[in-house]
Amino acid sequence: MGLLEKQCEPCKGGVPPLKDARIVELLDELNNEEFKGTAYFSASREGNWTVERNNFPTRGNQHYLYRHYVFPDFKQALGLVEVISEKAEEQGHHPDISFGYGYVDVQLWTHKINGLTESDFYMAAKIEDLFQNNGGYVRAMYSTPIKTV
């Protein structure tokens, strides 16, 4: 069973974050590529999921998954955010998302352990599937009426 078919499992805490070797294996599977142990950001990974290290004092020295998506306009970016939010609620696994005109940035990690678990990779695979297969984000960008004040 691939990453896409697996379901996210709620973390109860007390579980250690994934070790670097396992992170590399899962990242390669997520990107359908083999980077021979290059787990962290590199120019060769542009357009793919990367693993980065966060050095913010409030979050500790943790790893997180990161992906930058590009769109031709704001509405399509918003549409992807909408379908990601639906999938996140379904899975009980919620990424940090920022977006604006023509882009969506996604960060994933398991907050209770301040690091990565296999569920983070399962959720990333689901997000990637939504993007790659136009999993409704064009539909979603017109499903929510914009309220005017």
Side-chain angles (χ1 to χ4, degrees):
M1 186 182 313
L3 296 174
L4 182 60
E5 291 81 29
K6 295 182 179 178
Q7 299 299 307
C8 297
E9 297 177 21
C11 180
K12 295 173 178 60
V15 178
L18 293 174
K19 302 277 187 208
D20 285 354
R22 183 65 179 145
I23 289 171
V24 171
E25 290 172 9
L26 290 167
L27 188 62
D28 286 348
E29 184 178 348
L30 177 61
N31 288 324
N32 295 316
E33 296 182 44
E34 189 170 332
F35 285 88
K36 308 244 185 255
T38 307
Y40 304 105
F41 180 82
S42 71
S44 66
R45 287 195 180 266
E46 189 173 329
N48 288 302
W49 285 90
T50 62
V51 174
E52 302 197 21
R53 186 181 301 274
N54 186 351
N55 293 314
F56 294 122
T58 57
R59 293 189 191 166
N61 191 13
Q62 70 178 22
H63 291 106
Y64 62 92
L65 283 168
Y66 172 77
R67 176 76 157 91
H68 177 77
Y69 294 99
V70 177
F71 294 91
D73 58 37
F74 182 83
K75 281 189 171 186
Q76 288 186 51
L78 175 59
L80 182 63
V81 171
E82 287 182 348
V83 294
I84 289 173
S85 68
E86 290 171 9
K87 185 61 72 174
E89 283 297 307
E90 172 190 301
Q91 292 293 308
H93 198 83
H94 304 93
D96 284 8
I97 303 170
S98 60
F99 76 102
Y101 188 92
Y103 77 93
V104 175
D105 288 333
V106 180
Q107 290 183 355
L108 273 165
W109 74 93
T110 300
H111 295 77
K112 284 189 178 177
I113 65 164
N114 205 25
L116 291 171
T117 64
E118 294 205 6
S119 287
D120 296 308
F121 288 88
Y122 305 159
M123 188 66 205
K126 291 172 189 344
I127 292 169
E128 190 66 19
D129 183 62
L130 290 170
F131 175 73
Q132 294 294 336
N133 297 310
N134 189 19
Y137 68 83
V138 172
R139 171 203 52 82
M141 70 183 192
Y142 297 109
S143 64
T144 305
I146 296 172
K147 295 181 181 177
T148 56
V149 180

